[in-house]
Amino acid sequence: MACVLLSRVVPSSHRLIRTCICLLSFFLTYLCYCVLFSSDTIMQNSGDPAPSCRHVPVDGGKRRLQKSFSCVLPFSRGESGDASRQKTDKSRPHMSPRNNTTSPPLGNVKFGNKKLPNAIIVGVKKGGTRAVLEFIRIHPDVRAVGTETHFFDRNYDRGLDWYRSLMPKTLESQITMEKTPSYFVTRETPRRISAMSRDTKLIVVVRDPVTRAISDYTQTLSKTPDLPSFQELAFRNQSLGLVETSWNAIRIGLYALHLENWLRYFPLAQIHLVSGERLITDPAGELARVQDFLGLKRIVTDKHFYFNRTKGFPCLKKPESSSSPRCLGKSKGRTHVQIDREAIEQLRDFYRPYNVKLYEMVGHDFRWE
């Protein structure tokens, strides 16, 4: 404005004088600015290393103030700048635009934390535990250890911190799982799991004990070709029908006796029995019951399965991220060793009272005849 007035007062021939007067007016304007605003305010604004708040367009052109973690309110009178910065730093991980609940640390939002398992598949060997684990872990709310940890039967002296370190990272809403089939027949395991948490949910996959014993023997024979015959191991005296209950393949099938030990530490409501036979003929139905038991939404359904006629076992359909379907390992669906009919009938007679007792204990007839 001063320059405009000068241009009218000073003749155009005196351009140099007019220019000097304009510069002088700008300098006087700056001095007035310094008088009106304190030097402390100017220095604070120019020296603050934090990014300034900025306005961004949202909602069809309206503008609002957008803040980053570094854009904070000035501290009140009586508080020092250092104290204010300390309060701000402590509060940053907990800032939430929607509520006052504490959020997890920013570094863990994506990956979660390792925690002790909420549910464990505790048995039984050659019953279908691997299938249950692979089927249930496609549920988005389930994270599971792929290998058997054997913590409660072989590695208990390593401690719970070691056990927790084996677990996958999970979000708060997800279930952590592991499976070790030998837990079901290890006498100390129920007490040890109960000491960890009495709220742990337990899954037991059971199967016709005679078929299970033959499958167990077939697997062992594939690793030890010079193994004695099935009959030699299964009977103390086959002609008298005396069964060798100390042989592990036979002992595992005494489900009722093992379950009694578990019921000393856990109520039946926390133990879910999966039928190994129905897991083959109706995998979706068995997984629906498993999801209900775990308190999960039924997401794993029949659309996830197809029956592989070559293996004689259900497989998971091809995921979008893969070029081939997911079937269990080569050992699953292996052809069993042929056992003579008389030995099978003797074993059925032996297991019958134990099976009936199991049916009564859990209120379900698995029809193993």
Side-chain angles (χ1 to χ4, degrees):
M1 178 63 70
C3 289
V4 173
L5 294 174
L6 286 171
S7 65
R8 295 179 178 179
V9 175
V10 181
S12 60
S13 58
H14 300 277
R15 291 181 178 177
L16 180 59
I17 297 174
R18 185 175 62 184
T19 301
C20 292
I21 294 174
C22 286
L23 292 174
L24 180 61
S25 66
F26 282 127
F27 179 72
L28 291 174
T29 302
Y30 175 74
L31 289 179
C32 292
Y33 179 83
C34 292
V35 172
L36 292 173
F37 300 98
S38 66
S39 60
D40 290 342
T41 304
I42 295 173
M43 292 302 294
Q44 179 181 345
N45 291 337
S46 61
D48 187 2
S52 61
C53 301
R54 63 183 183 275
H55 290 272
V56 295
V58 294
D59 299 332
K62 294 181 180 179
R63 304 178 72 84
R64 65 173 174 82
L65 184 66
Q66 180 182 18
K67 294 182 180 180
S68 66
F69 283 137
S70 300
C71 177
V72 297
L73 295 173
F75 49 87
S76 61
R77 295 179 182 179
E79 290 182 342
S80 67
D82 291 339
S84 176
R85 281 191 293 272
Q86 288 175 2
K87 289 184 179 181
T88 301
D89 290 340
K90 290 180 180 180
S91 65
R92 285 177 187 176
H94 308 294
M95 292 177 69
S96 174
R98 295 185 179 179
N99 53 56
N100 295 324
T101 58
T102 302
S103 301
L106 292 177
N108 291 330
V109 169
K110 183 176 180 181
F111 301 107
N113 298 294
K114 292 190 175 186
K115 60 185 180 182
L116 295 171
N118 312 89
I120 304 176
I121 301 174
V122 298
V124 299
K125 180 183 179 184
K126 305 309 295 180
T129 57
R130 172 57 61 180
V132 172
L133 182 72
E134 294 302 323
F135 294 165
I136 193 61
R137 72 192 303 188
I138 68 175
H139 196 292
D141 290 335
V142 173
R143 296 295 308 281
V145 183
T147 57
E148 297 174 6
T149 69
H150 286 282
F151 173 66
F152 292 104
D153 57 353
R154 301 179 189 173
N155 298 299
Y156 193 62
D157 58 337
R158 293 177 179 261
L160 286 175
D161 288 339
W162 177 84
Y163 185 45
R164 183 187 287 107
S165 72
L166 303 179
M167 299 298 120
K169 290 184 177 180
T170 55
L171 300 177
E172 191 64 31
S173 60
Q174 292 177 314
I175 290 177
T176 302
M177 291 185 66
E178 75 120 325
K179 77 107 177 170
T180 302
S182 56
Y183 287 165
F184 189 64
V185 298
T186 304
R187 188 162 187 81
E188 300 83 7
T189 299
R191 175 180 56 80
R192 291 172 175 176
I193 295 180
S194 176
M196 176 188 73
S197 173
R198 294 184 178 181
D199 296 325
T200 306
K201 293 188 175 183
L202 309 167
I203 297 175
V204 186
V205 190
V206 291
R207 183 183 184 185
D208 182 328
V210 178
T211 307
R212 197 222 65 81
I214 296 173
S215 179
D216 197 339
Y217 174 79
T218 301
Q219 182 184 56
T220 306
L221 185 64
S222 68
K223 301 175 182 178
T224 313
D226 58 346
L227 199 66
S229 69
F230 179 84
Q231 285 90 327
E232 289 179 75
L233 295 171
F235 295 95
R236 283 184 288 167
N237 188 323
Q238 186 176 359
S239 61
L240 298 177
L242 298 178
V243 176
E244 183 54 80
T245 55
S246 64
W247 185 34
N248 200 47
I250 295 295
R251 186 174 65 91
I252 291 174
L254 303 174
Y255 304 137
L257 297 184
H258 301 304
L259 185 60
E260 283 182 335
N261 185 37
W262 285 88
L263 292 176
R264 293 171 57 196
Y265 300 92
F266 292 94
L268 186 60
Q270 280 179 236
I271 304 175
H272 179 70
L273 272 64
V274 176
S275 168
E277 287 78 19
R278 286 202 305 266
L279 190 62
I280 296 175
T281 60
D282 182 21
E286 283 302 296
L287 263 293
R289 284 180 277 274
V290 171
Q291 290 171 95
D292 291 345
F293 172 69
L294 296 175
L296 298 171
K297 182 179 179 180
R298 289 189 179 185
I299 291 179
V300 184
T301 62
D302 54 1
K303 68 180 182 182
H304 291 91
F305 302 98
Y306 80 95
F307 190 80
N308 187 312
R309 296 186 181 279
T310 302
K311 296 179 71 68
F313 205 86
C315 296
L316 293 170
K317 291 182 179 178
K318 180 179 73 67
E320 294 180 0
S321 59
S322 175
S323 58
S324 59
R326 289 172 51 191
C327 285
L328 301 179
K330 295 180 179 179
S331 64
K332 308 303 177 183
R334 180 193 288 120
T335 303
H336 290 175
V337 173
Q338 293 296 314
I339 307 298
D340 69 80
R341 175 55 54 184
E342 182 182 359
I344 291 177
E345 291 303 324
Q346 287 175 308
L347 288 177
R348 291 202 183 284
D349 291 340
F350 166 76
Y351 279 119
R352 187 169 292 111
Y354 297 100
N355 293 343
V356 171
K357 186 175 183 179
L358 177 70
Y359 302 161
E360 294 172 348
M361 291 173 70
V362 301
H364 181 78
D365 187 348
F366 289 93
R367 301 184 181 280
W368 292 323
E369 291 296 337

